[in-house]
Amino acid sequence: MRVGGWRGGVGRALVLAVPYAWLVLFFLVPLLIVGKISLSEMRAGVPPYEPILDFADGALVGVRATLENFALLFEDDLYVGAYFQSVGIALVSTLLCLLIGYPMALGIARARPDRRGPLLLLIILPFWTSFLIRVYAWMGILKDEGLLNGALLWAGVISEPLVILNTDAAVYIGIVYSYLPFMVLPLYATLEKLDPSLLEAAADLGARPWRAFLSVTLPLSLPGVVAGSMLVFVPAVGEYVIPDLLGGGDTQMLGKALWDVFAFSRDWPTAAALAVSMLAALALPIAVFNRLQARLEPEEK
């Protein structure tokens, strides 16, 4: 028994070690490398940054780390504006995904069991196509001579094409379209587990449908709301492809600013500092979301 128990403990430890090793290798190590670059100084060469550790005869003789790259992020209005614009666009996009995705998830959860599979398939169907191709498709839909303006002109709704592409509205459309499934699926997983007898009890007590929704369905679905909001908000803050292809020159988000500094300015230390700062800025909303989920878990049970 002792030998079997020891072997079982080793086996469990090895199983648990695999995901931890994966996180260390593909998350912690790259993060440490980016953090090291963010503390260095820019130079013309390969790599385009100075080493922060000075060695002589194989011995460490000095450290040349600097925080000037982080100070630049707070002094330059470009980065400060990109941060606030990214957070604002991500918040509005998350709210739009929630307003659109909640009725969709509720409708799928209350559909007949034989119809839920096809409806869920329609939600995840866009993932079968490349993300980049789908964004390019929206460029063809939203441009002045695109499908949307063509349909509105043909129907007589407008007399001249609407300017949608290269605006913030196009960015919202692209983000909501791309991340809507990440809101619908967690909401559906929560709503599908709700006991229908609770709504029947509320109706027996005289509650109208909207009252039963506000008192029963919505509170019990909050874990799904929190999970879906986190899955939409966090990647939307650092989005690059959508604002670059659908947004205009005034749409400056952190992901786009990061790419511009990294690829065009070749200022790797500043780009690394921006990446570290973006990750640190996301730590607060992630902690808030996790805290809300932890508080809502007992209600879900």
Side-chain angles (χ1 to χ4, degrees):
M1 294 296 294
R2 292 182 178 179
V3 175
W6 177 80
R7 290 179 178 177
V10 173
R12 286 192 294 270
L14 291 176
V15 172
L16 292 175
V18 173
Y20 282 107
W22 180 276
L23 289 175
V24 169
L25 182 61
F26 294 103
F27 178 77
L28 183 58
V29 173
L31 180 61
L32 292 176
I33 295 175
V34 173
K36 178 182 72 70
I37 297 175
S38 68
L39 299 175
S40 62
E41 296 179 355
M42 181 182 176
R43 73 172 182 181
V46 180
Y49 57 87
E50 297 285 351
I52 63 174
L53 301 178
D54 288 334
F55 292 91
D57 298 329
L60 179 64
V61 296
V63 178
R64 294 188 297 175
T66 178
L67 296 176
E68 293 182 359
N69 301 313
F70 291 94
L72 177 63
L73 301 181
F74 296 95
E75 296 171 357
D76 195 325
D77 294 339
L78 173 66
Y79 302 118
V80 176
Y83 171 76
F84 285 106
Q85 191 169 19
S86 297
V87 173
I89 290 177
L91 284 174
V92 174
S93 300
T94 302
L95 180 60
L96 291 175
C97 285
L98 179 59
L99 294 177
I100 299 173
Y102 198 104
M104 295 174 63
L106 185 61
I108 297 175
R110 293 185 177 180
R112 285 169 26 188
D114 60 325
R115 295 183 179 178
R116 294 176 185 175
L119 292 175
L120 287 174
L121 180 63
L122 293 177
I123 297 297
I124 65 175
L125 192 61
F127 288 108
W128 294 6
T129 307
S130 169
F131 174 76
L132 189 60
I133 293 177
R134 286 184 279 134
V135 176
Y136 269 113
W138 274 107
M139 294 177 64
I141 295 173
L142 300 177
K143 65 182 182 180
D144 294 350
E145 302 82 12
L147 296 177
L148 179 59
N149 277 313
L152 294 177
L153 289 171
W154 177 81
V157 178
I158 58 176
S159 58
E160 59 183 13
L162 299 175
V163 179
I164 305 176
L165 190 62
N166 297 327
T167 63
D168 287 349
V171 176
Y172 287 123
I173 293 174
I175 292 178
V176 171
Y177 164 78
S178 301
Y179 293 107
L180 184 61
F182 295 103
M183 179 67 74
V184 174
L185 296 178
L187 284 172
Y188 167 77
T190 303
L191 292 169
E192 192 269 338
K193 292 184 291 186
L194 295 183
D195 189 354
S197 62
L198 297 176
L199 296 176
E200 295 176 0
D204 292 339
L205 293 174
R208 295 178 180 272
W210 63 268
R211 181 65 178 176
F213 171 79
L214 294 177
S215 302
V216 179
T217 305
L218 183 59
L220 293 178
S221 65
L222 287 181
V225 173
V226 173
S229 299
M230 183 170 62
L231 291 175
V232 174
F233 177 81
V234 173
V237 171
E239 181 58 55
Y240 160 69
V241 174
I242 293 175
D244 186 58
L245 296 181
L246 300 182
D250 295 334
T251 305
Q252 188 64 260
M253 297 182 66
L254 286 175
K256 190 171 183 295
L258 177 62
W259 171 253
D260 291 341
V261 176
F262 181 83
F264 298 109
S265 302
R266 298 283 295 174
D267 189 353
W268 284 26
T270 301
L274 182 59
V276 173
S277 301
M278 182 170 61
L279 182 62
L282 288 175
L284 178 59
I286 291 176
V288 172
F289 283 131
N290 289 335
R291 179 67 175 175
L292 288 174
Q293 274 193 314
R295 293 179 60 183
L296 293 170
E297 278 180 359
E299 297 182 17
E300 187 183 23
K301 297 176 183 179

